Amino acid sequence: MTPNALFEAALQLGETGWGVSETKFQGEPKQLELVLEHNGDRRVVCPECQRRCTIYDRVEKRWRHLNFFQYRCELVAQVP
């Protein structure tokens, strides 16, 4: 099992359409950064009108996740 697959399973991404594309473990003190990507369709469901809409732009977002073991963890994703 690759590190990306391991963290996808730990985050329970399964059928969400999201996956871990990169795992970075660096810095001092050590910090884990998981880069997430949306797999597949360029169209997503609008949270307001519930129609499938095309994605035109994305914004990078960062979230602080619970620690993995003793290491600080952040999730990074380009979200529509």
Side-chain angles (χ1 to χ4, degrees):
M1 181 177 269
T2 66
N4 290 355
L6 175 70
F7 287 115
E8 280 181 24
L11 294 170
Q12 299 178 350
L13 295 177
E15 305 277 328
T16 63
W18 289 90
V20 177
S21 64
E22 189 176 352
T23 305
K24 299 177 186 175
F25 187 63
Q26 59 193 12
E28 199 55 52
K30 294 288 189 192
Q31 178 173 317
L32 179 63
E33 185 175 286
L34 303 175
V35 180
L36 306 176
E37 281 188 1
H38 192 265
N39 303 331
D41 205 355
R42 303 290 275 163
R43 297 172 60 88
V44 294
V45 177
C46 174
E48 293 179 13
C49 67
Q50 304 304 315
R51 292 189 320 198
R52 293 191 64 77
C53 303
T54 303
I55 299 170
Y56 291 104
D57 57 353
R58 297 173 185 251
V59 177
E60 183 177 288
K61 298 275 186 169
R62 292 181 161 271
W63 295 274
R64 173 73 163 91
H65 191 273
L66 296 174
N67 288 357
F68 274 103
F69 306 105
Q70 72 268 27
Y71 303 108
R72 177 184 172 94
C73 179
E74 287 191 3
L75 305 177
V76 181
Q78 296 284 330
V79 296

